[in-house]
Amino acid sequence: MGCRIKYYLLTRTIMFKHIKKFILPAAAVVMLSSCSDFLDRNSLVGLSEGDYWKSEDDAIKGANTLYAANKEFTNSIVFYGMMDDFTDISYQSFATGLTTGLFPANAAFYQTSWGIFYKGIFRANTILTKVPEIPMSEAMKNRVLGEAKFFRAYFYFKLWDYFGAVPLYEHAMNVDEAYNARATEKEVYDLIVKDLTEAYAMLPETYDQSNKGRATKWAALAMRGKAHLWAKENEKAAADFKEVMDKSDRRLLGDFHTLFRVAGNNNTEVLFDVQYIAEQGHGIATDRNYGNARGATTGSQRTRPTPKLVNAFEMADGSKFDFNNYKNAQGGTFNPNNAADWRDEASVRKLFENRDPRLHKSVIVPWSTFVGRGGVEFLYRFPVVASDATAYVPVWTNGSYAWRKFVETGSVYTLQDNMPQNFPLIRLADVMLMYAEAKNEALGSPDQSVYDAVDAVRARAGMPKLPKGLNKETMRERIRQERMVELAGEGQRYSDIRRWKIAKSVVDGVWMTEFTGVNIRQRGFPDHYYLWPIPQAERDLNPKLTQNPGWQ
């Protein structure tokens, strides 16, 4: 019975009672003890009564639980970057649910995500209720309340993005109060904007080294801009993004690849991320899921880039990549769907020469190198010869691209599921491209500021400026192209193609393939996949919850 109670406390916000102080402050991680320990205390209402919510330390530890809830989502089932596996630019090697269009409405994936978001909202609401009464410094009180506002908005944004209109709760409620009907999408958007506006006013611009990773006013402003963009309030979105670009201390990092390595943690570009440390239970499983058989942690390559993504990286001069411009070993046009054409080293090497530098910093392609286990430089020969000690060996050897992004080189970090790689959720390049998108949509034709924003992202990558004279529609396509290659593997495209309403056209019926053209699995994206289903278990508990179209 005790464990059943604990399960409800952990996974369902409407039945969630507060946890006590099992917190690792340095990592902003909340840990729960065993079932018996969890229930062996003075009161089951935990933080909301008794000896808690009395001191500044209690308030800070309460705020830490918000970061823990966010980390729980980025680490759950498929962590955040692997949301791109449900798009056209990467795919899951094992799981098929959301990739094939056959995921049932009662899948645990939806229930888990819903529960985590509402758990975080409940924690934020508790902080907003309790912390104002605590005698503590006003500066710290404002920071904690600002963090609570930021995260409440962030979790509602994720719910809105994935589920659409959802119930709103603005205070810490008892179980019998937690049966609201779904609000309208505008009401959800309005609350997100209100919370982020208040968080922006309350949060600091930056933190000392010991508090790196906490939400800043610039993270709040970027998220408010993102909410405006999702709501198609393009002028408001552009204004928020412009302020972040002009007034914050965030700057594009010079080396693109460093952004996705441990060496790039807490860099100048990231506005908000999830922080990890190299310790069992407190790291991230990027090396297992993105990594390969020659890495220090022997990854599984659960996620793989698609040929479509690789082919989308332009030539170094800004022109489109086209197989028709290349010859095979026999002097004919290179045919990517003919496995024999891929067996000639000289022909294949030419395919990846003089390309957008982000290609080789994001993806491991045939005849490129990878520094792996023991600091050895391995060469990706194709066809793969696994017995060659100097050969790069992907997990999937029949014609697979592999991620370089988020995969550590050498053998410094060896805890397979616990890499200390911070995972970016909002970074300046993303903000700049969202600014360009919002401004372009707000205008009749793109102005110079739109070009400047996109060109700055391209310049950092070593790419030339966009050609002049683009109209609104052609600029829109260039911005979308830029987001695809710049943010690949970071989980952003899944939301992009859904909000642009192009997901069905770029995903549904398309085959996942090896780069040799061999079919692996057919994708599916039914019309109703633009929104996730309201979890059936939630509807069983709350009869007021209506289901999203197509999931009945």
Side-chain angles (χ1 to χ4, degrees):
M1 179 63 177
C3 283
R4 184 179 178 186
I5 293 173
K6 180 182 175 184
Y7 171 78
Y8 273 74
L9 296 176
L10 289 173
T11 61
R12 313 184 67 74
T13 299
I14 61 175
M15 301 185 74
F16 183 76
K17 304 296 184 182
H18 307 277
I19 62 173
K20 272 197 169 181
K21 30 189 174 175
F22 297 90
I23 297 173
L24 179 65
V29 174
V30 175
M31 300 168 57
L32 298 179
S33 64
S34 69
C35 196
S36 58
D37 291 340
F38 185 85
L39 296 175
D40 184 18
R41 58 189 186 182
N42 293 331
S43 170
L44 281 177
V45 291
L47 299 183
S48 60
E49 288 184 358
D51 60 353
Y52 213 84
W53 300 116
K54 301 294 185 183
S55 69
E56 181 170 290
D57 187 56
D58 292 345
I60 294 170
K61 288 177 177 177
N64 288 348
T65 69
L66 302 170
Y67 295 88
N70 190 37
K71 178 183 175 183
E72 191 175 346
F73 175 66
T74 60
N75 272 17
S76 68
I77 306 180
V78 291
F79 58 83
Y80 189 67
M82 291 170 65
M83 301 298 279
D84 280 353
D85 289 353
F86 310 138
T87 76
D88 50 342
I89 65 170
S90 67
Y91 57 86
Q92 285 204 54
S93 301
F94 310 132
T96 61
L98 275 173
T99 63
T100 58
L102 300 175
F103 231 23
N106 62 353
F109 181 88
Y110 306 124
Q111 177 67 49
T112 299
S113 301
W114 177 283
I116 290 170
F117 296 142
Y118 272 111
K119 181 196 299 185
I121 289 165
F122 188 88
R123 291 177 180 178
N125 283 339
T126 302
I127 291 169
L128 294 170
T129 300
K130 298 297 179 180
V131 168
E133 305 304 319
I134 297 176
M136 56 189 289
S137 77
E138 285 303 306
M140 183 58 71
K141 181 177 289 189
N142 275 339
R143 192 196 88 181
V144 169
L145 293 174
E147 288 174 290
K149 290 278 188 179
F150 172 84
F151 273 106
R152 185 168 72 175
Y154 184 81
F155 291 133
Y156 271 127
F157 178 88
K158 303 308 289 184
L159 285 163
W160 178 42
D161 184 5
Y162 298 138
F163 296 98
V166 294
L168 294 179
Y169 300 97
E170 297 184 58
H171 66 280
M173 77 296 294
N174 294 319
V175 171
D176 58 1
E177 299 176 283
Y179 294 94
N180 288 354
R182 298 172 71 175
T184 65
E185 290 204 42
K186 185 178 186 306
E187 288 170 334
V188 178
Y189 160 70
D190 286 344
L191 178 59
I192 292 168
V193 170
K194 175 177 177 293
D195 275 354
L196 290 170
T197 300
E198 293 173 6
Y200 170 74
M202 302 171 86
L203 288 168
E205 294 185 18
T206 189
Y207 292 91
D208 60 27
Q209 189 61 39
S210 65
N211 284 291
K212 289 290 184 183
R214 291 188 179 276
T216 65
K217 71 187 315 92
W218 305 120
L221 191 59
M223 276 306 305
R224 190 177 73 178
K226 199 167 181 177
H228 289 320
L229 184 62
W230 261 238
K232 295 183 171 52
E233 294 286 350
N234 294 307
E235 287 282 9
K236 293 178 181 178
D240 281 353
F241 295 138
K242 187 71 161 58
E243 185 174 350
V244 173
M245 292 157 57
D246 290 349
K247 296 184 179 180
S248 79
D249 63 343
R250 301 293 82 192
R251 297 294 178 266
L252 294 177
L253 192 67
D255 179 38
F256 180 78
H257 185 48
T258 300
L259 280 166
F260 314 105
R261 301 185 62 211
V262 177
N265 282 354
N266 300 316
N267 62 72
T268 61
E269 182 167 337
V270 171
L271 284 137
F272 184 58
D273 61 10
V274 185
Q275 303 261 314
Y276 294 94
I277 58 174
E279 189 173 298
Q280 197 70 40
H282 304 304
I284 188 170
T286 41
D287 244 44
R288 176 196 285 273
N289 290 294
Y290 285 67
N292 56 76
R294 288 300 196 205
T297 63
T298 311
S300 64
Q301 271 182 269
R302 182 178 175 184
T303 176
R304 290 186 270 171
T306 63
K308 176 176 179 176
L309 172 64
V310 173
N311 299 340
F313 285 91
E314 298 171 349
M315 304 303 297
D317 63 4
S319 61
K320 288 186 177 182
F321 169 79
D322 188 345
F323 281 106
N324 290 323
N325 296 329
Y326 297 87
K327 302 296 183 182
N328 60 21
Q330 289 71 44
T333 301
F334 192 99
N335 180 3
N337 296 320
N338 180 12
D341 284 14
W342 289 93
R343 296 192 182 105
D344 179 61
E345 176 184 349
S347 300
V348 174
R349 280 185 179 275
K350 285 184 171 61
L351 299 175
F352 304 110
E353 293 174 353
N354 301 313
R355 300 283 294 277
D356 181 334
R358 286 172 294 190
L359 170 58
H360 289 284
K361 294 179 179 182
S362 301
V363 181
I364 301 170
V365 302
W367 300 102
S368 65
T369 58
F370 172 76
V371 179
R373 189 182 306 122
V376 175
E377 184 175 85
F378 298 97
L379 177 63
Y380 186 3
R381 297 179 174 88
F382 188 81
V384 174
V385 182
S387 60
D388 185 342
T390 66
Y392 171 84
V393 180
V395 175
W396 312 97
T397 59
N398 292 328
S400 172
Y401 293 120
W403 288 110
R404 196 182 299 274
K405 220 172 184 179
F406 297 115
V407 180
E408 276 296 313
T409 58
S411 299
V412 177
Y413 306 100
T414 57
L415 284 174
Q416 188 176 61
D417 294 326
N418 292 276
M419 300 299 291
Q421 163 70 61
N422 295 346
F423 198 92
L425 299 179
I426 314 171
R427 57 185 180 91
L428 187 60
D430 182 12
V431 167
M432 295 170 82
L433 294 175
M434 287 191 290
Y435 167 79
E437 178 184 344
K439 193 69 174 176
N440 185 58
E441 295 300 328
L443 298 172
S445 60
D447 67 7
Q448 188 59 45
S449 74
V450 175
Y451 282 92
D452 289 346
V454 181
D455 287 344
V457 175
R458 289 173 62 83
R460 186 268 299 279
M463 291 295 288
K465 294 180 179 181
L466 294 177
K468 296 298 183 182
L470 299 177
N471 62 28
K472 183 173 185 171
E473 289 71 28
T474 52
M475 177 60 82
R476 178 188 296 138
E477 292 308 310
R478 295 304 295 256
I479 292 168
R480 292 181 179 184
Q481 155 81 14
E482 203 65 31
R483 287 186 65 79
M484 176 167 55
V485 298
E486 172 73 20
L487 303 170
E490 297 178 52
Q492 302 294 341
R493 186 160 175 81
Y494 181 62
S495 292
D496 280 350
I497 63 174
R498 288 167 44 252
R499 68 187 177 88
W500 294 332
K501 300 302 181 187
I502 65 170
K504 187 174 179 65
S505 64
V506 300
V507 175
D508 196 43
V510 175
W511 280 88
M512 308 178 200
T513 69
E514 304 285 16
F515 56 64
T516 56
V518 175
N519 289 337
I520 301 172
R521 187 185 306 128
Q522 192 172 32
R523 293 178 175 274
F525 199 99
D527 291 330
H528 59 279
Y529 262 43
Y530 281 96
L531 290 177
W532 291 357
I534 305 301
Q536 187 58 48
E538 298 294 335
R539 297 188 66 217
D540 291 342
L541 285 169
N542 181 0
K544 294 180 182 178
L545 288 177
T546 56
Q547 186 55 281
N548 281 325
W551 291 101
Q552 290 84 352

